[in-house]
Amino acid sequence: MVNEWLLSLARWLDAQSWSTQLHESIYMYAWVETTHVLTLAVFLGMLFVIDLRMLGLVFTDTPASKIAARLDTPMMVGFVVMVATGLALYYAIPVRSTQSIWFRIKLLLLVAAGVNAFLFRARMRASVGTWDMDPKPPRHIRVGAGTSLLLWAAVVICGRTIAYDWFDCHKQLPYFMYWAAGCVDEMAALE
Ligand code: HEM
């Protein structure tokens, strides 16, 4: 049901001339993807510094809230550019992306990283007054920062593996993998 709906959405996007033009463009697709990759340095560069401070590993003589406040805006600008270029990359190759197990895992990880960031910010705002100058923040803050580092590293790994066709629908895969990747036609052929 969900796989069928996602595939028909992807095929609708794929039929649009702009999607084809972006995918077949000589330069634009490469520029969008290059921006998607280069903005990692801004978005994840800032985020990693904040998380490493929250783990008590860097800038331990600087108040944690000061690091977070200084790096938050460039980090969020980087995040917005990552999402915008990511949506453009998806729009250019919607069917293959929709049926990519790596893309699907990446989206789930993005949601998990977003929820973790939201909870982390709320916990930090609620308690920072008591530990802001501490070189090593309390355990619940360090757990949030460590989880953030792991989730975003997994997002990057999945983003990179999208390009590889190891589990694409045209491969011989077990039924479960066809289902997880959304290979609707291949599943129908097996039934
Ligand atoms: C905001 C956090 C994001 C991060 C950190 C991220 C990271 C990455 C990375 C590292 C790559 C591999 C680039 C390469 O080496 O070629 C990638 C590729 C890709 N990303 Fe993202 N991404 C993010 C958001 C998104 C979003 C929101 C979407 C779409 C909804 C998206 C869609 C894609 C697609 C389709 C590719 C494959 C491009 C290709 O191989 O041709 N990304 N991403």
Side-chain angles (χ1 to χ4, degrees):
M1 177 60 188
V2 175
N3 279 331
E4 284 80 359
W5 184 82
L6 287 172
L7 187 57
S8 55
L9 170 73
R11 285 181 173 151
W12 175 73
L13 291 170
D14 201 43
Q16 298 180 4
S17 63
W18 283 56
S19 170
T20 311
Q21 285 173 39
L22 179 56
H23 186 204
E24 296 174 357
S25 59
I26 297 172
Y27 297 114
M28 186 51 88
Y29 185 83
W31 285 342
V32 171
E33 184 164 20
T34 304
T35 308
H36 198 61
V37 173
L38 290 181
T39 316
L40 280 176
V42 179
F43 168 53
L44 290 184
M46 304 295 151
L47 184 133
F48 281 7
V49 171
I50 295 173
D51 284 343
L52 291 175
R53 171 63 186 92
M54 300 306 169
L55 283 168
L57 296 175
V58 298
F59 304 120
T60 49
D61 51 0
T62 309
S65 62
K66 200 171 178 184
I67 301 261
R70 283 278 180 83
L71 303 185
D72 201 49
T73 306
M75 181 182 72
M76 292 315 286
V77 170
F79 179 73
V80 170
V81 176
M82 293 289 313
V83 172
T85 51
L87 289 169
L89 291 172
Y90 175 80
Y91 181 63
I93 320 177
V95 174
R96 181 172 180 276
S97 304
T98 301
Q99 295 185 314
S100 161
I101 191 82
W102 302 112
F103 180 73
R104 291 175 168 226
I105 297 171
K106 179 182 170 186
L107 287 190
L108 291 176
L109 289 167
L110 278 173
V111 172
V115 170
N116 182 59
F118 180 78
L119 295 175
F120 179 81
R121 276 167 184 263
R123 274 195 224 118
M124 192 183 137
R125 287 213 184 95
S127 66
V128 75
T130 60
W131 55 266
D132 198 15
M133 295 300 294
D134 295 0
K136 201 171 181 182
R139 190 171 180 284
H140 68 281
I141 294 293
R142 283 181 278 131
V143 168
T147 309
S148 166
L149 286 178
L150 288 175
L151 285 171
W152 285 110
V155 167
V156 170
I157 292 167
C158 288
R160 181 78 283 269
T161 42
I162 292 172
Y164 299 102
D165 66 349
W166 305 322
F167 302 112
D168 277 20
C169 293
H170 66 269
K171 299 274 178 169
Q172 286 293 323
L173 301 173
Y175 187 88
F176 170 77
M177 284 301 286
Y178 280 143
W179 174 81
C183 307
V184 171
D185 301 341
E186 289 72 14
M187 284 199 294
L190 284 177
E191 281 157 5

